[in-house]
Amino acid sequence: MTIRYEWRGDFDNKTLNALHAEGFEHPVLDIDWRAQVRGHSLGWVCAREDGSLVGFVNVAWDGGVHAFVLDTLVTRRLRSQGVGAALIDAATRGARAAECEWLHVDFDEHLRPFYFDACGFEPTAAGLIRL
């Protein structure tokens, strides 16, 4: 398996919508991901196997020193093979190159081992308001 990781790589909305639906187990939506990430993100990472999009992570930011990991996605057949951790590593390098000082993530409890053990995030005190 050879996976190529691209910071700010090109993708088409249809493929990313399908990957997002698979990753978050919802129907395929018609989201304009290209406009969304280009307008609101520091960057994103595309993982490709033989040219096909098999993983993605969005890195939003505050325009300063804080970046935020959103929508980490890996196609089902490649999960638990290091693709997600490599996506986060590439996102970390991209945020560091942009001179961000902090990379934040929030996640569901079942993803704790992935983000803390595989990716190296540390627990912090944080708050959340459901809207």
Side-chain angles (χ1 to χ4, degrees):
M1 167 179 71
T2 301
I3 307 289
R4 198 174 80 245
Y5 300 88
E6 305 165 317
W7 176 251
R8 297 181 66 95
D10 195 26
F11 61 88
D12 66 81
N13 286 321
K14 182 178 179 180
T15 303
L16 186 50
N17 277 310
L19 184 63
H20 196 277
E22 179 185 356
F24 288 102
E25 299 178 350
H26 61 72
V28 176
L29 304 174
D30 187 22
I31 297 171
D32 188 349
W33 285 102
R34 292 171 63 118
Q36 185 170 326
V37 299
R38 288 184 176 144
H40 302 287
S41 299
L42 172 67
W44 55 91
V45 181
C46 295
R48 297 189 182 286
E49 179 185 48
D50 298 324
S52 296
L53 187 68
V54 295
F56 179 86
V57 66
N58 184 14
V59 183
W61 72 320
D62 66 353
V65 299
H66 296 268
F68 307 85
V69 169
L70 301 170
D71 297 315
T72 306
L73 301 163
V74 176
T75 191
R76 192 170 285 114
R77 71 179 177 78
L78 293 177
R79 291 184 191 157
S80 300
Q81 297 183 41
V83 176
L87 281 166
I88 297 297
D89 181 62
T92 300
R93 285 184 278 115
R96 189 175 289 124
E99 299 183 359
C100 289
E101 295 177 15
W102 301 100
L103 184 60
H104 304 262
V105 67
D106 66 352
F107 50 83
D108 291 334
E109 184 62 30
H110 74 279
L111 294 171
R112 178 178 286 271
F114 170 69
Y115 284 108
F116 288 166
D117 300 336
C119 298
F121 282 90
E122 297 178 14
T124 63
L128 178 68
I129 296 174
R130 179 180 279 287
L131 303 175

